[in-house]
Structures are given as C-alpha cells and as structure tokens.
Amino acid sequence: NAGVTQTPKFRILKIGQSMTLQCTQDMNHNYMYWYRQDPGMGLKLIYYSVGAGITDKGEVPNGYNVSRSTTEDFPLRLELAAPSQTSVYFCASSYSQGVTYEQYFGPGTRLTVT
Amino acid sequence: GEDVEQSLFLSVREGDSSVINCTYTDSSSTYLYWYKQEPGAGLQLLTYIFSNMDMKQDQRLTVLLNKKDKHLSLRIADTQTGDSAIYFCAWGTGRRALTFGSGTRLQVQP
C-alpha cells in the first residue's frame, strides 16, 4: 500500500493564480481531511469529507474548495492564490469504523505564493 | 473554544528522558493523541490514551493524563537521536477531525 500520496511536493504560485493540490489514498478510508500548517504552528483543518459526494468546511475554509467524487481522491482547489495561503498542506485519511480516530497523513505539499 | 499550549522547544542529551507537555481546554474528546513529525514529512501517530485512563505505557513511551488539570504529557525514556522531531498533542472532535497543539521541537544531542 502506498498510503496517502500528495502531489506536487513543492509549488510556487503568483498572486491570483489557481492550482489544485492532489490527494489519493489506497486504504479504502471513508474519511479524508485537508490541513494547513503555518510555520511554528499546529495544523488547522480546511475541509473534510466523510465519504464520496460529501464534504464540509473546517476551521479555515476561505479561499479553498474541495470535491470528493471517489473514495480514493480528495483534491483541494485554490482559486485566487494569496500570500496568506503560503503554507504546508497535508492531506489525511482515517477509518470510518475505527474508534481511535487515527489519521494517516501524506508527506505534504509546500506552497509559496508571491 | 479550543486552545492548547505546548512549549516550543526541548533539548536533551542522548540517553536522558524527555518530557513533553500539553495543556488543553476542551475536555470532550474520547481519545488524546501524540503525533510525531520528522523533518519534511507528514505526521505519524506515536501513541494515544483513552480519556478515562491516567497513564499508558508503550515501550519507551509513557503518556500521563491529568483530566482535572487538563494536562497531557509524553515521556520518552532513553531518548535517541532518532527521536529528534516535532511532537504534537491532539484530540478528536465529534466530526472525527483532530485539533492539534502547536508542537514541541525535540532536539537530542549526542
């Protein structure tokens, strides 16, 4: 199993550009999440999904959109990039039947907006 | 609201014990977790404790939970250079997402 994979690993965007961060998991997890990690900070939840076709906002959803057309994929879209979106983005997934809520993380995408 | 405090940095010598602390305000979670983040990598679950327990031991790791004071700690015995990383405390909410502390960077000196 590859686990949770994310692409790209790094990206530099100009202000106003758009991009999609890709996330795929091969563990058949129902739950998937997008977090951002700013320097010296913990992770903040952007969006999450409890299954294909179902998404919901987290703590910091402004400036982002998501979709969940399949169990495996959970892309994150930035429409008009702003410097405040410079961060490291982590995708994660978890079992829907587990009781411990353990989340499995991808390696992250480091995004710089200039 | 939810708020967490973790000290930013801890430096220890190889072979010593490390103690990483976390103070939180939201006590509704069933499980509390410790995640480890190595440089350039995602987070990895290290251990967890059920909220009705006071202590859990897992090889070199000991988790202590003081619910009255809302204090969680992680003790690493015989700390090794491979333990150098950032450690996050976290807990689950009703929507199954996690709330994370700001992280403690552990540096292990040879």
Side-chain angles (χ1 to χ4, degrees), chain B residues 54-70:
Chain B
D54 297 325
M55 185 180 85
K56 179 182 178 183
Q57 187 139 8
D58 185 358
Q59 299 181 337
R60 291 191 297 121
L61 305 177
T62 303
V63 179
L64 295 177
L65 175 60
N66 181 329
K67 287 182 71 176
K68 176 175 168 288
D69 294 338
K70 295 182 181 160

Side-chain angles (χ1 to χ4, degrees), chain A residues 34-36 42-48 56-62 64, chain B residues 2 95 97-100:
Chain A
W34 275 105
Y35 294 92
R36 59 178 284 174
L43 279 68
K44 291 194 182 299
L45 182 67
I46 305 172
Y47 270 96
Y48 67 102
D56 209 346
K57 295 177 181 178
E59 245 183 296
V60 289
N62 291 345
Y64 307 95
Chain B
E2 299 159 349
R95 59 191 177 198
L98 295 176
T99 299
F100 290 87

Side-chain angles (χ1 to χ4, degrees), chain A residues 6-53:
Chain A
Q6 291 183 240
T7 57
K9 283 192 168 51
F10 305 94
R11 183 73 186 267
I12 298 174
L13 280 183
K14 292 192 185 305
I15 295 171
Q17 285 186 320
S18 302
M19 77 164 294
T20 300
L21 283 68
Q22 301 291 346
C23 175
T24 300
Q25 54 90 10
D26 62 0
M27 298 174 281
N28 202 31
H29 286 170
N30 280 359
Y31 289 76
M32 295 188 74
Y33 314 85
W34 275 105
Y35 294 92
R36 59 178 284 174
Q37 183 181 30
D38 297 330
M41 305 291 287
L43 279 68
K44 291 194 182 299
L45 182 67
I46 305 172
Y47 270 96
Y48 67 102
S49 169
V50 300

Side-chain angles (χ1 to χ4, degrees), chain A residues 25 28-32 48-55 67-74:
Chain A
Q25 54 90 10
N28 202 31
H29 286 170
N30 280 359
Y31 289 76
M32 295 188 74
Y48 67 102
S49 169
V50 300
I54 306 168
T55 62
S67 58
R68 184 95 183 270
S69 56
T70 66
T71 299
E72 295 78 19
D73 300 308
F74 190 39

Side-chain angles (χ1 to χ4, degrees), chain B residues 5-50:
Chain B
E5 286 184 14
Q6 279 189 254
S7 47
L8 283 179
F9 186 75
L10 175 66
S11 180
V12 301
R13 291 203 176 276
E14 195 172 17
D16 288 349
S17 292
S18 308
V19 179
I20 300 170
N21 295 302
C22 170
T23 303
Y24 58 95
T25 56
D26 182 354
S27 56
S28 62
S29 180
T30 304
Y31 288 91
L32 296 101
Y33 309 84
W34 283 102
Y35 276 79
K36 177 183 180 183
Q37 184 181 31
E38 295 184 0
L43 280 69
Q44 194 169 19
L45 182 66
L46 204 55
T47 187
Y48 64 90
I49 187 167
F50 189 44

